[in-house]
Amino acid sequence: MNCETTKSQCCCGEETDQQKYDKIAEIIDQYKNREGSLIQVLHVAQTVYGYLPMELLKFIAKRMDIPLSEVSGVSTFYPVFSMQPRGKHTIKVCMGTACYVRGGKKLVDRLENLLGIQVGETSEDRKYNLEVVRCLGACGLAPAMMIDETIYKQVKPDKLNSILAKY
Amino acid sequence: MINLSINNKLVSVPEGSTILEAAKHNKIDIPNLCNLDGVHKFGSCRLCVVEVEGDKNLQASCMVQVRDGMVVHTNTDKVRKVRKNLFELMLSNHPQDCLKCQRSLSCELQNMGKRLGVTEARYTGQTSGGIVDISPAISRDMVKCILCRRCITACNDIQKVGILNAQNSGFKTVVGTALDLPINTVNCTFCGQCVAVCPVGALKETDAIQNVWGAISDKCKRVVVQVDPAVRAAIGEEFGYEPGTQVTAQLIAALREVGFDVVFDTNFAADLTVIEASSEFLTRMKYSLGGMETPLPMMSSCSPAWIKYVEHTYPEKLGHLSTCKSPHTMLGALAKSYYAEILKVEPKNMAVVSIMPCTAKKFEISRPEMTNNGLANVDAVLTTREIARMMQEAGVDLRKVGKSQFDQPFELSSGAAELFGLSGGVMEATLRTVHEMVTGRELAIDKLHAAPLEECDQVKDVELRFDDPLEAYQYMAGITIKVAVASGLRGAGFLMDQITKQESPYSFIEVMGCPGGCISGGGQPRPATSETLQKRLQAIYLEDEVKPFRKAHQNEGVTKLYKEFLKEPNGRRAQDLLHTQYTKRGKFNEYLCD
Ligand code: SF4
Ligand code: SF4
Ligand code: FES
Ligand code: FES
């Protein structure tokens, strides 16, 4: 396997790819022959590596001795798994009925514009993921959005710039 | 036994049966689509619903087990309505282009619509998925997939290869390869077992018909065709014959009418393979008994799906594979050398077409190893289904043509060669010859009944002892060899793992990539129920028994070929034309990259 080419641009203090793979290998050997262990291994792998690139899926398939199609089947079945590199922060814009009616869509449009990406993608600087969600439970103060764990209510498109500036 | 009532009829069936099975045993036919008897049940189509008294919801009869006192109705107003509705929903996500679909008239979905009396499609919807993936052997047109998941069972549980699995979730669910990689770039063996079970036009062989018509209409080309034994045992089914009907003579006549110039018997080359493999095996035994490092067990090499499987899964073990090409490539190589010389035709003005029960052979002929003097040994492989389609297109009806015979010089074959179509056949054919070579005495044929292993249902084995060998084979004196037969890649994997752990007790292993051997190949008529397969098997055994000679080395045509052309088994010319080598691939094709 050519892990070389996928080496991350490591900043000081961060683990190298090799260290991450070693960690994942350890977990695999621990979980290997247990029922349903693939999901757990994928979870750990995503936590360690940040996302699940093809080379990593192959590594897992080989080490667990299960078909790659099964590994990819499970990773594409559960939305928590991502095969793309993820940004540092996740923006979730509410598209529930209340928010939609009160301008949720405009927020999405503006964010797409500001970040230069579409919903479901990650900005080029790997800072943000952009997602939409159904209802954040803040319907009274629509439109709402959430960045990581913080909820922003009654957001106006023009305020987005200053919100993002906090991150 | 469990007692229940189905459609007011009291029936008694073994515990653990499903409602569907119970009904079937009692000649009550419940429509079912995703289910495949004895092979696959998943419960995705729900067309098999029935009413069970006391249950609020309709039940999928293929999934629900019978209970004592159960009262089942399979044909009520409600049931009929729901089935039709379910079917129409399926159609809303299915391209309705039956008029130009290859599966038309043999499509299980289409038949189901007719059976359920569906005359309208009230729902229109978006079709999901839709990748088209064409490899040298298998083509996938996933917009037609109905997610029955039969192919997943075939590839994962029966073959244990695991190329196809459900990907994504919800409406986006598709059956496919890891991350949608083209099937030609993953470790697919091209065995075609997925194709064999697909009920619709989603999985099929990659078409060679156009190329073959092209060769036939080319005035400068002499088009040679050869036919595999398992094709003959099955092609009748495409023309309404009972499974297992022998139609070899009619098929030869039909091939001439389709426009082929020469018709050869692949069995001739099967006999040749036996001779070549037997001497290769004895050479390996000699070296090994003499203390030299030699890969044993030797493994048969006639099944290209098996070959590709080893190249991907056990790339370090390629040395165990016999170097013999498969019979049809041997015949192709000889057609373009020996036969071309006799005819005084330039080999480049010949085209060799093989009619095979197999999808993997389509890939095999594209391998760079399968060439001599820059020419492919075989130019095209047609499956049993494809040649039937060509015959239909040409207006040639197998039931109406006369009879004909194979052409010289590749017309003769032994009973042993017929057995190449069956699991265990290559081993039996080879041992008949090896034993006689070594001892000069005939091997009592009933000695070779291999017994199934407890540990793996796809594997059988048997022992054979060599006493009083001839002068030249003294090294075999008193030696007992153990041989194994695997049919299906799961069984093959079992034997390979033994080799990897250096625990293999065997000297010779025969593997056929498809469970049961070529009679259930990926290119055979669909659907093939277990009864159909049984009848194909019987047809082949019968052919073996009625042959005037039953051992490969009795084939006079082969003897003549050695005398006039090849000189000796495993000799220089034979090595050049009839033997090959293999490619390390790896599970992710990692060995191919550099
Ligand atoms: S051809 Fe054989 S190995 Fe390839 S996907 Fe189909 S069943 Fe699996
Ligand atoms: S490809 Fe064919 S066999 Fe596989 S799930 Fe789809 S319809 Fe069923
Ligand atoms: S609809 Fe947006 S918070 Fe409920
Ligand atoms: S046949 Fe029972 S659910 Fe498909």
Side-chain angles (χ1 to χ4, degrees):
Chain A
M1 237 173 290
N2 55 345
C3 312
E4 256 70 55
T5 52
T6 53
K7 273 242 164 71
S8 66
Q9 307 88 342
C10 153
C11 359
C12 340
E14 265 189 32
E15 292 170 301
T16 64
D17 263 20
Q18 190 56 48
Q19 284 169 319
K20 290 179 187 167
Y21 270 87
D22 288 348
K23 219 182 212 174
I24 296 166
E26 217 174 280
I27 300 293
I28 293 175
D29 297 343
Q30 207 174 314
Y31 281 87
K32 221 173 189 172
N33 300 312
R34 286 192 224 163
E35 191 73 33
S37 54
L38 177 57
I39 298 179
Q40 287 163 316
V41 167
L42 288 171
H43 259 294
V44 176
Q46 176 155 302
T47 317
V48 173
Y49 203 86
Y51 69 112
L52 301 169
M54 171 74 126
E55 287 305 322
L56 182 52
L57 294 185
K58 283 184 182 172
F59 179 81
I60 294 171
K62 190 160 189 180
R63 192 129 186 146
M64 295 186 75
D65 196 22
I66 43 183
L68 182 61
S69 67
E70 198 180 320
V71 178
S72 93
V74 173
S75 345
T76 52
F77 185 85
Y78 297 99
V80 294
F81 297 126
S82 169
M83 253 113 327
Q84 304 303 321
R86 307 273 301 166
K88 230 171 157 175
H89 306 286
T90 301
I91 307 175
K92 293 177 180 161
V93 183
C94 180
M95 287 294 229
T97 320
C99 292
Y100 186 83
V101 174
R102 301 232 210 121
K105 182 75 177 74
K106 280 198 192 117
L107 291 184
V108 172
D109 289 345
R110 182 65 70 88
L111 281 166
E112 287 188 335
N113 226 318
L114 282 173
L115 303 173
I117 53 172
Q118 309 254 294
V119 170
E121 291 178 349
T122 301
S123 59
E124 210 172 313
D125 59 4
R126 297 224 187 146
K127 200 156 170 199
Y128 300 104
N129 309 310
L130 181 57
E131 291 171 10
V132 294
V133 289
R134 234 167 251 273
C135 176
L136 290 172
C139 318
L141 294 166
M145 67 178 233
M146 195 167 157
I147 301 184
D148 300 333
E149 303 305 319
T150 318
I151 294 195
Y152 294 87
K153 296 165 192 163
Q154 288 185 321
V155 186
K156 301 214 165 57
D158 288 340
K159 278 213 223 136
L160 285 169
N161 249 329
S162 56
I163 294 179
L164 292 182
K166 295 186 203 160
Y167 290 86
Chain B
M1 296 298 266
I2 303 282
N3 299 307
L4 70 158
S5 136
I6 308 181
N7 298 350
N8 304 321
K9 191 169 151 194
L10 289 176
V11 303
S12 177
V13 294
E15 206 179 326
S17 312
T18 61
I19 300 178
L20 182 66
E21 285 158 355
K24 196 175 172 205
H25 275 295
N26 290 283
K27 310 218 159 26
I28 297 167
D29 190 8
I30 303 174
N32 60 91
L33 185 58
C34 64
N35 171 74
L36 191 62
D37 284 346
V39 178
H40 170 77
K41 58 178 172 194
F42 185 71
S44 61
C45 77
R46 299 196 63 81
L47 288 175
C48 63
V49 287
V50 296
E51 235 175 294
V52 176
E53 281 187 18
D55 288 355
K56 221 168 87 215
N57 297 328
L58 297 185
Q59 302 288 343
S61 61
C62 72
M63 298 301 284
V64 176
Q65 292 192 354
V66 291
R67 294 184 307 264
D68 244 325
M70 218 181 204
V71 181
V72 179
H73 301 281
T74 73
N75 184 28
T76 63
D77 246 350
K78 184 171 171 195
V79 163
R80 283 193 305 268
K81 242 192 220 138
V82 168
R83 279 183 198 144
K84 270 194 197 172
N85 204 39
L86 283 167
F87 185 85
E88 286 184 57
L89 280 171
M90 267 174 133
L91 288 194
S92 74
N93 189 13
H94 192 85
Q96 290 154 39
D97 53 7
C98 303
L99 283 179
K100 50 190 172 61
C101 178
Q102 203 191 77
R103 265 327 268 280
S104 192
L105 301 185
S106 75
C107 171
E108 294 180 44
L109 182 67
Q110 195 183 44
N111 291 342
M112 185 56 65
K114 180 144 190 251
R115 151 136 207 221
L116 297 178
V118 174
T119 51
E120 54 187 344
R122 286 168 299 169
Y123 311 109
T124 47
Q126 232 183 326
T127 48
S128 54
I131 70 152
V132 174
D133 178 12
I134 297 171
S135 76
I138 286 174
S139 297
R140 304 190 307 133
D141 183 359
M142 294 322 281
V143 73
K144 292 187 177 160
C145 172
I146 58 169
L147 297 177
C148 69
R149 303 192 182 209
R150 288 182 187 178
C151 56
I152 297 183
T153 298
C155 189
N156 291 266
D157 301 339
I158 298 179
Q159 295 292 61
K160 212 168 173 242
V161 180
I163 302 304
L164 300 174
N165 263 303
Q167 311 289 324
N168 308 331
S169 58
F171 182 71
K172 289 200 182 131
T173 306
V174 291
V175 167
T177 55
L179 306 166
D180 271 344
L181 291 167
I183 202 156
N184 198 26
T185 65
V186 297
N187 56 326
C188 173
T189 67
F190 296 134
C191 69
Q193 288 304 298
C194 53
V195 176
V197 294
C198 183
V200 293
L203 299 179
K204 51 199 169 192
E205 65 273 78
T206 298
D207 186 286
I209 294 180
Q210 289 322 312
N211 288 348
V212 175
W213 281 132
I216 289 178
S217 19
D218 185 342
K219 292 273 174 303
C220 315
K221 282 247 174 260
R222 196 160 181 94
V223 187
V224 170
V225 70
Q226 55 171 321
V227 199
D228 178 275
V231 171
R232 306 170 208 165
I235 191 161
E237 294 161 34
E238 296 275 352
F239 293 86
Y241 280 102
E242 259 301 289
T245 310
Q246 272 301 336
V247 289
T248 309
Q250 290 91 325
L251 178 58
I252 300 169
L255 292 174
R256 296 192 201 283
E257 287 203 19
V258 167
F260 293 104
D261 299 309
V262 188
V263 188
F264 287 146
D265 190 349
T266 304
N267 276 346
F268 177 91
D271 280 338
L272 189 62
T273 308
V274 172
I275 308 286
E276 289 292 322
S278 298
S279 37
E280 183 187 352
F281 173 65
L282 286 169
T283 309
R284 288 191 192 221
M285 285 301 289
K286 184 175 176 183
Y287 286 157
S288 159
L289 291 168
M292 270 159 82
E293 187 93 24
T294 315
L296 280 174
M298 179 172 106
M299 309 187 297
S300 68
S301 58
C302 330
S303 164
W306 149 242
I307 297 289
K308 197 157 181 278
Y309 174 77
V310 182
E311 291 177 328
H312 284 297
T313 322
Y314 302 94
E316 309 302 333
K317 300 286 172 230
L318 297 181
H320 288 266
L321 289 167
S322 159
T323 58
C324 290
K325 288 181 182 171
S326 64
H328 84 112
T329 33
M330 283 196 184
L331 198 83
L334 289 171
K336 290 189 184 179
S337 54
Y338 176 65
Y339 180 63
E341 257 174 49
I342 297 178
L343 273 191
K344 307 214 170 11
V345 182
E346 282 281 335
K348 68 173 181 354
N349 293 332
M350 291 173 84
V352 176
V353 177
S354 304
I355 302 176
M356 296 286 135
C358 183
T359 42
K361 290 197 160 82
K362 284 178 180 270
F363 168 79
E364 180 192 24
I365 60 166
S366 73
R367 302 174 68 114
E369 300 91 330
M370 298 302 164
T371 52
N372 283 99
N373 305 321
L375 292 177
N377 295 151
V378 173
D379 299 282
V381 166
L382 295 167
T383 61
T384 313
R385 297 186 294 261
E386 281 178 292
I387 190 63
R389 286 209 296 278
M390 283 184 79
M391 282 157 64
Q392 272 144 10
E393 208 181 331
V396 176
D397 185 346
L398 200 61
R399 303 183 77 104
K400 294 193 184 130
V401 288
K403 293 187 172 184
S404 183
Q405 283 177 348
F406 288 116
D407 291 311
Q408 287 178 356
F410 304 136
E411 83 287 23
L412 289 177
S413 72
S414 69
E418 294 289 341
L419 299 179
F420 266 60
L422 297 178
S423 165
V426 174
M427 190 267 297
E428 183 154 346
T430 310
L431 289 188
R432 281 182 195 175
T433 291
V434 166
H435 189 270
E436 208 161 317
M437 273 169 81
V438 171
T439 65
R441 297 182 310 271
E442 201 166 293
L443 176 67
I445 286 184
D446 54 0
K447 260 202 163 167
L448 278 180
H449 279 294
L453 289 199
E454 237 172 63
E455 301 94 305
C456 181
D457 61 330
Q458 288 188 344
V459 178
K460 294 182 190 172
D461 71 4
V462 67
E463 280 180 2
L464 181 66
R465 192 184 148 93
F466 294 86
D467 285 312
D468 299 325
L470 299 172
E471 193 59 43
Y473 298 97
Q474 276 307 320
Y475 57 89
M476 290 295 284
I479 298 284
T480 300
I481 61 167
K482 227 176 156 170
V483 298
V485 170
S487 87
L489 295 172
R490 179 163 45 82
F494 173 83
L495 292 172
M496 288 310 297
D497 287 338
Q498 287 183 330
I499 295 180
T500 313
K501 289 189 216 139
Q502 300 190 310
E503 284 170 4
S504 177
Y506 303 111
S507 304
F508 179 50
I509 290 177
E510 171 210 293
V511 178
M512 293 195 185
C514 296
C518 311
I519 47 167
S520 38
Q524 293 281 55
R526 297 179 283 199
T529 60
S530 47
E531 296 96 75
T532 309
L533 292 178
Q534 197 54 36
K535 287 183 185 153
R536 290 181 193 164
L537 188 118
Q538 240 110 51
I540 291 197
Y541 274 130
L542 199 72
E543 284 276 300
D544 170 30
E545 274 160 33
V546 301
K547 275 285 167 84
F549 58 97
R550 296 182 65 187
K551 288 165 291 185
H553 52 274
Q554 294 166 320
N555 187 331
E556 284 164 17
V558 172
T559 314
K560 190 167 158 222
L561 176 70
Y562 276 113
K563 214 168 118 214
E564 287 180 1
F565 185 69
L566 291 172
K567 304 306 174 210
E568 52 172 352
N570 292 205
R572 266 193 51 205
R573 208 168 220 169
Q575 287 294 347
D576 181 34
L577 291 171
L578 312 181
H579 291 257
T580 184
Q581 73 259 336
Y582 305 103
T583 309
K584 266 189 169 184
R585 294 177 198 274
K587 264 204 184 144
F588 310 121
N589 285 314
E590 61 271 28
Y591 290 100
L592 292 184
C593 300
D594 25 77

